[in-house]
Amino acid sequence: MAETSAHEPLEVAGDPKHAARATRSAGRKMRSLLLDAASPLFRERGLSGTAITDIAAAADAFPSQITYYFRTKEALFVECACRDLLYLARATEQAALRARTPREYTHALAETVTASDSVAFFAEALTLTRRRQDLAPLVERTIERLHGEGARAYASQVARHGWRSLRAPDESSRRFWAVAIGVILEGYAMGRSPEELCAEMLRVLGEQAKSTGDAGRLRLVEDASNSNEEG
């Protein structure tokens, strides 16, 4: 028989702490199921075209469970959009891990972001919170996390490869997502393809950093210029 540590309380079926943990676990699982079911419906039909009963049916749940966990359909919509954007941010960083130069890194990020509709989905949530300020805190936390994680990932890549960044990591992250939202929203309105959106993002972003080789060449050019001036 396995021994139980003196510091670990015994858990039995009737233990209130055990029951509370089981309830929280079940609650998290149900919330995740509802988000998984609602997200594709909202993307396809929009907020007004998606009924709570449709979401409940897709999640094999009851409509009352949606109102219990999210209160309103609008709150569920915003949470879906925020979660999807953070998932997209994680996917972009994963896609860029194999990049060997700053140019490849930026291209991998832009290509992944523009291939998804998560940014446009999130922009709809931003518009909704203008009229529903009670939902704004979730959006604010999402944006803070987006920029924070983006800055850490970028700083890690710069340090890993020895690149010379042209901007501070936080500034680079904020600039990237500001450009992404602007370019993608404009592109959706114009009916542009993902390839066109990616090309426009790269054009607007320009150069983000210089590789070790680029920095070395720059120093050689500067040294040569200084020598000519002295001569």
Side-chain angles (χ1 to χ4, degrees):
M1 179 183 294
E3 295 183 359
T4 302
S5 168
H7 301 287
E8 295 178 1
L10 289 171
E11 292 186 356
V12 295
D15 182 4
K17 292 183 179 179
H18 176 78
R21 279 193 289 270
T23 300
R24 286 195 295 270
S25 178
R28 286 193 294 268
K29 183 177 180 181
M30 177 51 66
R31 286 184 102 264
S32 182
L33 287 173
L34 292 171
L35 288 164
D36 289 343
S39 182
L41 292 175
F42 282 141
R43 288 168 178 269
E44 180 184 352
R45 308 176 188 177
L47 177 62
S48 61
T50 305
I52 285 181
T53 52
D54 297 332
I55 299 169
D60 194 22
F62 296 104
S64 59
Q65 289 176 295
I66 295 173
T67 54
Y68 175 79
Y69 286 108
F70 300 97
R71 300 192 321 278
T72 65
K73 184 174 68 169
E74 290 78 12
L76 174 57
F77 182 92
V78 171
E79 188 157 344
C80 280
C82 288
R83 188 181 74 151
D84 284 10
L85 184 67
L86 292 176
Y87 282 170
L88 173 63
R90 193 175 306 159
T92 62
E93 295 300 339
Q94 288 294 319
L97 284 178
R98 293 188 296 273
R100 292 174 295 179
T101 67
R103 185 184 297 274
E104 288 178 0
Y105 180 76
T106 303
H107 187 276
L109 293 178
E111 186 176 48
T112 306
V113 165
T114 53
S116 167
D117 65 348
S118 293
V119 170
F121 187 19
F122 182 70
E124 292 183 63
L126 291 177
T127 303
L128 178 60
T129 56
R130 186 173 66 88
R131 298 184 298 274
R132 288 285 307 273
Q133 280 297 297
D134 58 305
L135 302 177
L138 176 58
V139 170
E140 183 178 359
R141 289 194 300 272
T142 300
I143 292 175
E144 288 177 358
R145 184 174 168 185
L146 183 76
H147 291 155
E149 292 182 1
R152 283 192 293 273
Y154 178 67
S156 175
Q157 285 291 93
V158 168
R160 175 187 172 195
H161 295 285
W163 298 338
R164 184 168 66 84
S165 180
L166 303 183
R167 301 174 183 84
D170 180 68
E171 183 184 348
S172 292
S173 176
R174 289 178 177 275
R175 185 169 179 271
F176 175 84
W177 287 107
V179 169
I181 291 172
V183 166
I184 289 173
L185 288 183
E186 179 184 298
Y188 269 51
M190 303 292 185
R192 292 174 182 158
S193 67
E195 292 76 20
E196 290 173 316
L197 295 178
C198 181
E200 180 64 7
M201 268 198 73
L202 293 173
R203 185 190 71 80
V204 175
L205 285 169
E207 195 171 30
Q208 302 298 297
K210 294 185 181 297
S211 66
T212 305
D214 292 335
R217 283 193 292 274
L218 281 174
R219 284 194 294 271
L220 288 173
V221 171
E222 290 172 355
D223 292 344
S225 298
N226 293 334
S227 297
N228 291 334
E229 289 175 3
E230 291 172 359

